[in-house]
Amino acid sequence: MYFTLAHLALAATPLLVSAAFEKYQTIDGFGISGTFQRANLIFNLQQPKQREVLDLLFNTTTGAGFSIVRNVIGSTPNSNSDYMNTILPKCPSTPVEVTTNYSGYIWDGKDSGQVFLSQSAQEYGVKAFYANAWSAPGCMKTNKQDTNGEQLCGVSTSCRSGDWKQAYANYLVAYIKFYASVGVKYASMQSSGTQAAEFIKVLRPTLDRANLTSVGINCCEATGWSVATQHASQIASAGAEPLIYAITSHEYSSRISGTMHNNARVWQTKYSDLNGGWGTPWYSNSGTGDGFTWANTVFNGVDRATNNNNNEKLILIEGQTYQVSKQLWAFAQFRIVRPGAVRVDASTTGGGAIIKAGAFANADGSKVLNE
Ligand SMILES: *[C@@H]1O[C@H](CO)[C@@H](O)[C@H](O)[C@H]1NC(C)=O
Ligand SMILES: *[C@@H]1O[C@H](CO)[C@@H](O)[C@H](O)[C@H]1NC(C)=O
Ligand SMILES: *[C@@H]1O[C@H](CO)[C@@H](O)[C@H](O)[C@H]1NC(C)=O
């Protein structure tokens, strides 16, 4: 089937945008993150500004209509500076005590504003919450710190204190249960580490035993597309591919450059050009951090693929004021593409290479096109 969705004239060349029903990937959604305590900035805003900012993020008619919230599972003992604190600020000396119901967890009910952001998103109908572990608490690792890489004790390496794989899996389940206690249900969680498959084999059964069968495991927040592609094949060779939901990748070390061939979903979970100051333009000649660049970034990703006042944020909140960047509106172009949509073929003829067209079939039967 082949039909024309829009026909417009651009300069002298007629432009034809068309979509055909060749099906590509299913879209789980588009998301935001309020990590590094940025969720607190929204929490601390007074009305009506708080509602305005939430509308900008989640409203499907007046805002960007985001459908995924990515939270970070803190790993530091406190939340000084921008740190995200762990629910296990003091570890017992051996892993065996760290059960899912261990009494030493400290849940402050706020999680640096992420509970508020998640609950608010839920009011707008967001169903996908993605908890992202950047590190295990230091006491579970070979270097005894949550920073500077190294391994979870027990993953291809042994520690005098024991094998912490099961304890860490229990800890992650406990974190999900704290969220469940405030009404937020996770759809996904993340594992990281070079020997991720070994840990995933412990985590999956631990989630299942806790009746968290609907919580998927995403892996491994690679720094870039090439690394993520390697992770995907390592996980497949280790036989862990059926245990994961999605392969996750950033785009810092390499950009999305092709289709990743594996059976799991693929999520692009983080990127910033880390370049230039805060600004709100749609288009600037330098082509960094403007709305147009980000419309292209999202388009390319779909089609194939800390404060410092920098340009990586969509909304800048300072005390009781906020400013909106055109980057937010770049994402808003995709708000018509709802979770569960399938991308279908779209192409343009004429108009030079200026216009890009993407077409999607939403799960409710509506067909949408963005240009
Ligand atoms: C805590 O969990 C362990 C196993 O994970 C179980 O043996 C123990 O009975 C539980 N304790 C409580 C108080 O539920
Ligand atoms: C989205 O914004 C519209 C227009 O202001 C409003 O009527 C609607 O209630 C908002 N949706 C939600 C879920 O708050
Ligand atoms: C899981 O669900 C089953 C059936 O509803 C129930 O019997 C069991 O106690 C639950 N287990 C946990 C750990 O919540």
Side-chain angles (χ1 to χ4, degrees):
M1 197 183 351
Y2 194 77
F3 61 96
T4 301
L5 289 171
H7 191 171
L8 50 124
L10 183 82
T13 327
L15 174 79
L16 192 66
V17 182
S18 50
F21 269 140
E22 178 162 345
K23 289 187 175 176
Y24 297 104
Q25 76 271 44
T26 298
I27 306 291
D28 281 332
F30 297 89
I32 54 118
S33 180
T35 60
F36 291 116
Q37 307 214 19
R38 295 304 179 264
N40 265 336
L41 298 177
I42 306 177
F43 178 73
N44 292 334
L45 277 176
Q46 284 160 14
Q47 299 299 8
K49 290 199 169 134
Q50 185 183 75
R51 181 51 54 192
E52 287 164 12
V53 167
L54 291 170
D55 269 330
L56 283 164
L57 293 173
F58 301 115
N59 195 306
T60 54
T61 50
T62 62
F66 285 116
S67 49
I68 299 177
V69 172
R70 174 178 177 266
N71 290 327
V72 158
I73 307 171
S75 55
T76 49
N78 55 57
S79 51
N80 296 342
S81 306
D82 283 341
Y83 297 160
M84 303 293 285
N85 59 298
T86 169
I87 55 168
L88 192 61
K90 284 197 187 124
C91 253
S93 52
T94 68
V96 286
E97 289 171 62
V98 185
T99 59
T100 56
N101 58 14
Y102 175 61
S103 60
Y105 295 121
I106 295 180
W107 172 244
D108 62 12
K110 289 187 179 145
D111 207 18
S112 301
Q114 296 185 122
V115 166
F116 166 79
L117 184 62
S118 305
Q119 288 173 330
S120 304
Q122 228 168 13
E123 289 169 19
Y124 287 86
V126 172
K127 294 191 182 69
F129 297 93
Y130 172 34
N132 198 192
W134 294 353
S135 171
C139 60
M140 300 186 180
K141 289 172 60 193
T142 47
N143 63 351
K144 299 198 185 311
Q145 307 168 34
D146 68 318
T147 51
N148 296 325
E150 299 220 15
Q151 299 283 344
L152 177 65
C153 294
V155 173
S156 302
T157 176
S158 61
C159 296
R160 204 173 297 162
S161 59
D163 178 341
W164 287 79
K165 289 198 296 288
Q166 185 61 56
Y168 185 45
N170 292 340
Y171 161 90
L172 293 172
V173 165
Y175 179 87
I176 293 176
K177 287 183 158 181
F178 282 127
Y179 266 83
S181 74
V182 293
V184 177
K185 274 198 177 160
Y186 275 102
S188 264
M189 70 169 324
Q190 192 254 349
S191 150
S192 61
T194 48
Q195 305 295 324
E198 204 179 328
F199 177 63
I200 289 167
K201 288 176 184 170
V202 176
L203 180 58
R204 185 67 264 170
T206 307
L207 287 166
D208 294 344
R209 275 198 305 274
N211 283 347
L212 296 170
T213 48
S214 62
V215 177
I217 301 173
N218 291 350
C219 191
C220 321
E221 297 286 293
T223 52
W225 197 248
S226 320
V227 185
T229 306
Q230 272 169 18
H231 283 160
S233 64
Q234 286 161 352
I235 287 170
S237 323
E241 196 187 60
L243 306 180
I244 65 166
Y245 180 76
I247 296 285
T248 58
S249 179
H250 298 175
E251 283 186 74
Y252 294 106
S253 55
S254 55
R255 305 298 300 271
I256 293 177
S257 58
T259 306
M260 203 183 290
H261 297 284
N262 58 285
N263 294 318
R265 301 281 177 108
V266 179
W267 285 15
Q268 194 284 18
T269 49
K270 193 180 173 200
Y271 182 57
S272 160
D273 56 22
L274 300 174
N275 194 4
W278 165 254
T280 59
W282 173 253
Y283 183 75
S284 72
N285 288 330
S286 59
T288 54
D290 59 11
F292 182 72
T293 301
W294 280 88
N296 264 300
T297 294
V298 178
F299 183 89
N300 290 339
V302 169
D303 200 45
R304 296 188 301 269
T306 51
N307 203 6
N308 297 332
N309 226 355
N310 64 19
N311 67 23
E312 68 184 27
K313 53 194 86 56
L314 303 175
I315 301 176
L316 173 69
I317 301 174
E318 290 175 303
Q320 291 301 317
T321 65
Y322 69 86
Q323 286 179 69
V324 184
S325 72
K326 291 297 188 297
Q327 299 177 29
L328 179 93
W329 298 113
F331 280 94
Q333 296 190 58
F334 293 84
R335 72 186 176 196
I336 47 180
V337 183
R338 302 314 304 164
V342 175
R343 184 171 72 88
V344 297
D345 220 7
S347 57
T348 55
T349 47
I354 306 169
I355 307 271
K356 293 180 176 178
F360 304 82
N362 276 323
D364 67 0
S366 64
K367 297 169 191 73
V368 299
L369 175 83
N370 67 5
E371 293 147 33

